[in-house]
Amino acid sequence: MSVSEQDELILNAYLDGELASIEAARFEQRMAKQPGLAAEVDARRALRDRLRSGFAEDVPSDDLRRRIMASVDSAGERKASSWRDRGPRWQRRSW
Amino acid sequence: MNVNDQTDQTRFAEVFLPHLVDAFRLARWIAGNRADAEDIVQEASLRAFKGIRTFSGGNTRAWALTIVRNASYSWLAKNRPSMVVLTEDLDQRAREEMEHAAGDDDVPTPEAALIAKMEAEEVRNAVAALPLPFREVLVLREIHDLDYRSIADVIQVPIGTVMSRLARARKLILAALQESTP
């Protein structure tokens, strides 16, 4: 079934829980009368379920955290040394 | 290490690090593979650390994902410039296609039951084939479970654009899956 552009936006917002409760109720009434609309929502819900399955193993390597901490540590040290270099004039040696 | 750095590192650990898995998944969907995604997240982490004092509270997840998304685009511009398309053109095209599609019965609706039977891999390949502006909105919604307001914040567009891109992304995928069905 094809739906209008406006209905396309509404049915997506309904699926995503972005409609106010009164609008959602109104849309549910329309779905009850138009099974085609309900099928469009169901298809998108099935798509979501399929996309969300099997993501538990999709995580970064342990090495990434170590790499991040190393680069952050070295950036922190560079920042600290640049502060030291810009220390108060009276601290600088002048000979 | 002075007190300020200690504070920066503590804040970084509190604000950015809890979202490392989310960061990795977003970069992976944008870049297309694990190795590039890890390089992007490392670069994003450094940006987050350097800018940690600019974080003024609020949604740490959206803040972290915004930095990852920006770092991903910088990486793409440098390494895969052909993937960075003009989103204004795409949005215009998407609007026209959706207007055109209204009242047009060319694309049959795939039954929900059919999609449920498909391999997850097949569905993910269809997502990977989407143009980037549609793919990132779909991933932020479906994988990261962000609401429209947060997606708009992360990709820095109005909510209306999030809505039309998301609608378009789902429609494109359903049509692609329908075509792939024997």
Side-chain angles (χ1 to χ4, degrees), chain A residues 22-75:
Chain A
I22 188 156
E23 291 172 304
R26 206 174 288 149
F27 187 69
E28 281 166 1
Q29 283 172 1
R30 286 188 56 204
M31 279 196 295
K33 288 182 203 151
Q34 294 173 257
L37 269 186
E40 295 283 350
V41 173
D42 285 346
R44 284 156 182 77
R45 193 175 286 122
L47 177 64
R48 161 174 301 171
D49 292 345
R50 222 68 206 94
L51 277 174
R52 287 186 178 177
S53 61
F55 266 91
E57 69 274 19
D58 194 18
V59 293
S61 66
D62 293 340
D63 189 50
L64 179 62
R65 186 175 284 264
R66 188 195 55 72
R67 276 166 58 192
I68 287 172
M69 295 321 292
S71 63
V72 162
D73 281 347
S74 89

Side-chain angles (χ1 to χ4, degrees), chain B residues 100-170:
Chain B
H100 187 67
D104 175 359
D105 269 349
D106 285 356
V107 183
T109 309
E111 296 295 330
L114 191 107
I115 295 169
K117 273 193 288 179
M118 282 181 167
E119 294 293 328
E121 194 62 31
E122 195 179 345
V123 179
R124 282 188 217 158
N125 288 342
V127 176
L130 282 177
L132 185 52
F134 299 132
R135 193 185 339 142
E136 66 177 355
V137 169
L138 189 73
V139 166
L140 288 168
R141 176 64 211 140
E142 304 294 40
I143 311 298
H144 295 86
D145 203 21
L146 259 52
D147 61 19
Y148 290 180
R149 176 75 263 162
S150 301
I151 297 173
D153 289 346
V154 170
I155 69 170
Q156 292 144 41
V157 297
I159 284 188
T161 304
V162 171
M163 291 176 75
S164 58
R165 285 189 193 172
L166 189 55
R168 182 69 191 144
R170 285 172 170 151

Side-chain angles (χ1 to χ4, degrees), chain B residues 26-48:
Chain B
L26 178 61
R28 184 168 177 224
W29 277 101
I30 293 179
N33 68 75
R34 295 182 60 91
D36 292 339
E38 293 206 351
D39 287 348
I40 289 168
V41 174
Q42 186 178 359
E43 167 59 23
S45 301
L46 207 50
R47 289 189 190 188

